Amino acid sequence: MVKDGDRIAVAISGGKDSLLLSKLFQELKRASRTNFEVVFISMNPGFNPANLNNLKKNLKHLNIPCEIYDDNICEIAEKIAKDYPCYMCAKMRRGSLYTKATSLGCNKLALGHHFDDVIETTLINMLYAGTIKTMTPKVFSTSGKLELIRPLVYVKEVDIIDYTKTNGICAMN
């Protein structure tokens, strides 16, 4: 998944999954013989001050240098799609992260989706959309400029929760 010359943006939402992913990439970079670069980004979609402070506290605790940038997509999604703002917000969040990663010269964007997310997505698509679709561990963006990777797809949420508790992380929900 990681090759020589890659420049990977790790997206940090502030939740337990992305915080673990960030730490794992930091350790992989430290211990790997593969020559790659990693940058950590977090989009602030309009977090309340308590959640933003919690994110900063966790990043400091984990010693993760992260660029937090503002992109008030929550407000925009609410205006555009009053009946289904969650779908619109998720779509806009992905677009914002793609744009940021590309602007930083990255060829990969790592997201913290885990095993339980894959199962949930599969079931939602089957039960509500009548299709058999799910998240894949890696896929190219529609522009083809950025590869989206999900290194945690085989990690169960219970193990991520255990890591969070063991390491004193107070993740956002």
Side-chain angles (χ1 to χ4, degrees):
M1 210 174 270
V2 177
K3 301 180 300 232
D4 278 339
D6 279 344
R7 183 166 169 87
I8 303 162
V10 178
I12 303 173
S13 66
K16 63 192 177 312
D17 315 329
S18 63
L19 289 169
L20 171 61
L21 180 65
S22 301
K23 197 62 186 172
L24 290 173
F25 261 100
Q26 192 177 53
E27 291 301 311
L28 179 64
K29 173 67 178 155
R30 184 185 61 76
S32 181
R33 292 184 181 165
T34 304
N35 184 23
F36 69 95
E37 293 180 56
V38 63
V39 295
F40 303 97
I41 58 173
S42 181
M43 187 229 345
N44 178 1
F47 289 136
N48 66 45
N51 280 340
L52 186 57
N53 287 333
N54 190 48
L55 170 62
K56 290 176 181 178
K57 182 179 127 193
N58 282 323
L59 291 170
K60 185 176 180 180
H61 175 70
L62 293 169
N63 195 29
I64 296 171
C66 179
E67 179 184 347
I68 300 172
Y69 70 97
D70 296 328
D71 197 343
N72 199 8
I73 62 168
C74 291
E75 186 178 304
I76 296 167
E78 183 70 36
K79 288 178 184 174
I80 294 174
K82 289 190 183 296
D83 295 337
Y84 50 93
C86 293
Y87 169 78
M88 185 56 67
C89 187
K91 188 173 180 171
M92 291 175 67
R93 185 173 56 244
R94 264 191 317 274
S96 177
L97 290 169
Y98 288 178
T99 300
K100 184 65 172 178
T102 302
S103 76
L104 294 171
C106 297
N107 64 319
K108 293 185 179 179
L109 174 64
L111 300 178
H113 296 124
H114 52 73
F115 182 81
D116 300 61
D117 292 329
V118 173
I119 299 301
E120 183 178 290
T121 299
T122 305
L123 288 172
I124 287 171
N125 280 320
M126 287 172 62
L127 298 173
Y128 293 102
T131 62
I132 299 176
K133 294 191 315 188
T134 192
M135 296 178 198
T136 57
K138 64 183 199 174
V139 64
F140 280 96
S141 64
T142 52
S143 71
K145 295 178 183 175
L146 196 64
E147 187 176 11
L148 180 70
I149 59 173
R150 296 179 175 103
L152 300 180
V153 294
Y154 297 113
V155 178
K156 294 185 178 175
E157 186 174 27
V158 66
D159 296 322
I160 296 171
I161 291 168
D162 183 51
Y163 170 83
T164 304
K165 289 179 182 175
T166 304
N167 289 280
I169 298 166
C170 186
M172 296 186 297
N173 294 323

